[in-house]
Amino acid sequence: MVSLQDMDDLLNAHPFFAGLGPKHLDELAGCARNERFDAGDYIFHEGGMADRFYILRHGQVAVEVKVPHKGSVVLETLHEDDTLGWSWLVPPHHWTFDARAVSLVRAISLDGVCLREKMETDHELGFHLMARFVPVMGERLRAARLQMLDLYAPPA
Amino acid sequence: MDTAPGADLAARLTQTAAAARVPASMTALDPMRPRPFRIERWQRDLSDTFTIDLAPLEGSPLTFRPGQFNMLYIHGAGEVPISISGDPERPERLIHTTRAVGQVTNAMKALRVGDVIGVRGPFGTPWPVEAADGHDVVIVAGGIGLAPLRPLIHAVLARRGRLGNVVLLYGARTPEDILYRKQVSAWRGRFDMTVHVTVDRATGRWSGPVGMVTKLIARGGFDARDTAAYVCGPEIMMRHVAQALLDRGVAAERLFLSMERNMKCAIGFCGHCQWGPDFVCKDGPVFRYDRVATRLAQSEV
Ligand SMILES: Cc1cc2nc3c(=O)[nH]c(=O)nc-3n(C[C@H](O)[C@H](O)[C@H](O)COP(=O)(O)OP(=O)(O)OC[C@H]3O[C@@H](n4cnc5c(N)ncnc54)[C@H](O)[C@@H]3O)c2cc1C
Ligand code: FES
């Protein structure tokens, strides 16, 4: 186990949390733990309880969906410094896709139940987290839309 | 080909020049008159993409700068602008990589070693390699857009000592659509260059990144405020890549992209390639981002 101070430092050094004050970092660190997944491990499955989110520190994660007769299709991959998962934020808190470690993955996970409780009482923390999640969601949506356009397809 | 392909071709090519209403004052170095080149090598890169190496039937090889293009005339089919995709320091072999999309490019795909085609050029503005001196370099390619950037990559590696980090970001449709696969792997193996390849659709055993090339920009490896960036790919891709680079802090004056418009004369006469106040054939195809930003946002200018 890493100490709370170590976790504080880890979070503090991460770009996703840049600009957060010590009080909020402490609150987050209280809900955080280190995780490790080997290549091939599933981090979560579609439909499962979305009780946490992940900040990737190392490795590659494939976000996938199972397609009948085709097996798993990779929708996108996430890498170092990316965040994984926001279903913990919105009821009913179910994962909408599968997430699989493509390589060894080291991550910090933050417990969604723990965070939601803190956000209930500390709205400012809620604001700071939302302000960090919304741009990430926007960026992913933009990338997904462009991907959908199939820009490099042969002209019809 | 018949017995004197060069002569036959030259005669036909002169007709094309006449048809395009070129001023009679033009001399022997008539830029409307194609020179016959022989296909020395023909290679299939992807299902619809191929590379030809050309050598002149007579006269000296054609020297060029990275980013410039030639007009290639295919007997009986027509003429198309195609970027030069070889090493500018090795002009003996004039290299073009083409994707077969229509009449002329499909006719070109059917040619083989020994066939002769007409070449006019080189035309257009080059990628300003010098703009990168003292800076980091980011090269972003989408699809066939890697072809016009390859001469730039050669030029960048030739002046490696004057540059900071060199990063190549390449987005392809699927793993099977990765152009110049061997060369991309070789670049990737270099210690003085970072290469990331992403695909829109993972197939087979691909275990690399999946997603838009814009997402690779976030992975960094360059100091945005001190970076020269060169982008080539479909227009929508270039717009979004440019935005992502600017958002990160890359200066608009050090951001360059290469535009495509239909062409006819390629020397600024006919107006076919007009884009706002510019003719893409002579004021481009390479443009500095800040000079075209407003136009770029409008779809059809
Ligand atoms: C400066 C410049 C450099 C270029 N460099 C290269 C290169 O290195 N390699 C290469 O393969 N192509 C390149 N192109 C594009 C190439 O010129 C066109 O693909 C070609 O002119 C198509 O001619 P065609 O007669 O085969 O097709 P057409 O019969 O004219 O068109 C067939 C179909 O292709 C579509 N099409 C035509 N042109 C394009 C285009 N530019 N992009 C997407 N769809 C198109 C048409 O809408 C149509 O549906 C370049 C263009 C310019 C202006
Ligand atoms: S192609 Fe004629 S002006 Fe550009």
Side-chain angles (χ1 to χ4, degrees):
Chain A
M1 258 326 267
V2 287
S3 73
L4 200 60
Q5 185 52 48
D6 286 348
M7 190 51 87
D8 248 38
D9 292 344
L10 274 178
L11 296 180
N12 195 20
H14 198 281
F16 188 71
F17 297 114
L20 283 183
K23 171 170 159 271
H24 289 137
L25 281 173
D26 265 359
E27 285 189 287
L28 289 175
C31 299
R33 71 168 192 231
N34 267 307
E35 307 255 13
R36 187 200 132 162
F37 302 93
D38 289 331
D41 288 354
Y42 274 85
I43 301 171
F44 52 75
H45 284 282
E46 179 179 333
M49 262 326 265
D51 52 2
R52 50 190 59 245
F53 79 93
Y54 301 82
I55 302 272
L56 306 185
R57 296 177 53 214
H58 173 88
Q60 177 172 307
V61 173
V63 177
E64 303 178 335
V65 64
K66 285 194 185 65
V67 180
H69 313 300
K70 275 178 91 178
S72 285
V73 172
V74 180
L75 300 170
E76 65 169 348
T77 54
L78 300 173
H79 309 88
E80 203 172 303
D81 288 351
D82 282 338
T83 59
L84 168 65
W86 51 67
S87 303
W88 69 277
L89 265 171
V90 274
H93 310 301
H94 287 147
W95 296 120
T96 43
F97 297 112
D98 296 339
R100 177 179 52 91
V102 178
S103 61
L104 169 76
V105 168
R106 285 195 302 270
I108 301 170
S109 79
L110 285 101
D111 183 323
V113 179
C114 166
L115 279 181
R116 290 198 298 261
E117 272 169 19
K118 289 189 180 173
M119 285 161 63
E120 286 288 334
T121 48
D122 183 351
H123 288 180
E124 210 181 308
L125 176 68
F127 169 80
H128 285 303
L129 277 178
M130 285 297 189
R132 282 162 179 73
F133 267 102
V134 172
V136 172
M137 294 162 90
E139 191 42 56
R140 300 270 169 85
L141 184 58
R142 160 159 116 160
R145 283 171 167 164
L146 288 173
Q147 206 175 331
M148 209 170 69
L149 277 178
D150 201 6
L151 290 175
Y152 314 126
Chain B
M1 269 285 157
D2 44 31
T3 42
D8 173 59
L9 188 70
R12 283 170 186 275
L13 299 180
T14 316
Q15 291 165 17
T16 354
R21 279 183 291 141
V22 175
S25 62
M26 289 199 143
T27 56
L29 278 172
D30 187 343
M32 282 311 289
R33 189 175 157 149
R35 275 173 68 194
F37 278 64
R38 181 178 179 275
I39 299 179
E40 300 290 330
R41 191 164 155 272
W42 191 104
Q43 188 190 301
R44 182 177 178 276
D45 300 307
L46 311 172
S47 60
D48 61 354
T49 305
F50 57 96
T51 296
I52 51 175
D53 296 13
L54 299 169
L57 285 191
E58 77 252 347
S60 49
L62 190 145
T63 56
F64 69 97
R65 296 173 66 195
Q68 288 193 300
F69 67 95
N70 282 319
M71 294 300 285
L72 302 186
Y73 177 85
I74 314 307
H75 187 137
E79 203 183 31
V80 283
I82 302 290
S83 304
I84 307 170
S85 56
D87 184 345
E89 284 185 15
R90 301 177 58 196
E92 329 68 83
R93 282 289 171 105
L94 184 59
I95 299 178
H96 292 278
T97 296
T98 306
R99 184 180 196 188
V101 297
Q103 199 197 326
V104 182
T105 48
N106 272 308
M108 202 192 316
K109 191 176 170 215
L111 299 177
R112 287 298 176 269
V113 169
D115 288 345
V116 172
I117 70 174
V119 177
R120 297 193 288 129
F123 298 122
T125 53
W127 297 110
V129 190
E130 333 71 50
D133 282 358
H135 301 291
D136 290 351
V137 176
V138 176
I139 297 171
V140 191
I144 182 86
L146 184 60
L149 284 167
R150 188 165 68 167
L152 173 75
I153 298 169
H154 285 301
V156 158
L157 294 176
R159 60 203 287 131
R160 187 66 191 82
R162 305 182 200 195
L163 307 169
N165 295 342
V166 174
V167 179
L168 169 65
L169 309 176
Y170 177 36
R173 190 178 191 218
T174 72
E176 290 75 43
D177 295 309
I178 296 170
L179 194 58
Y180 308 144
R181 182 179 278 274
K182 269 197 188 140
Q183 194 156 32
V184 170
S185 301
W187 287 330
R188 207 183 163 133
R190 291 177 65 120
F191 291 110
D192 58 355
M193 171 173 195
T194 304
V195 177
H196 290 303
V197 180
T198 186
V199 298
D200 278 351
R201 273 144 237 259
T203 51
R205 290 150 55 123
W206 177 254
S207 61
V210 178
M212 267 303 290
V213 70
T214 45
K215 285 181 42 183
L216 295 179
I217 292 166
R219 297 177 71 178
F222 57 96
D223 176 359
R225 277 168 216 294
D226 218 338
T227 287
Y230 306 87
V231 186
C232 189
E235 209 164 307
I236 305 175
M237 168 265 177
M238 290 198 289
R239 288 209 308 264
H240 285 269
V241 165
Q243 197 53 55
L245 288 167
L246 294 168
D247 289 349
R248 249 191 115 78
V250 172
E253 316 84 70
R254 274 199 297 276
L255 173 50
F256 305 91
L257 18 98
S258 184
M259 298 301 297
E260 269 190 24
R261 284 294 180 270
N262 286 340
M263 291 184 180
K264 207 136 212 147
C265 72
I267 51 172
F269 276 123
C270 73
H272 253 80
C273 65
Q274 185 164 6
W275 184 42
D278 292 318
F279 287 163
V280 172
C281 68
K282 76 170 176 37
D283 305 310
V286 174
F287 290 95
R288 214 173 86 174
Y289 181 83
D290 56 331
R291 304 211 165 119
V292 297
T294 43
R295 249 183 285 165
L296 205 59
Q298 303 153 5
S299 52
E300 292 294 327
V301 188

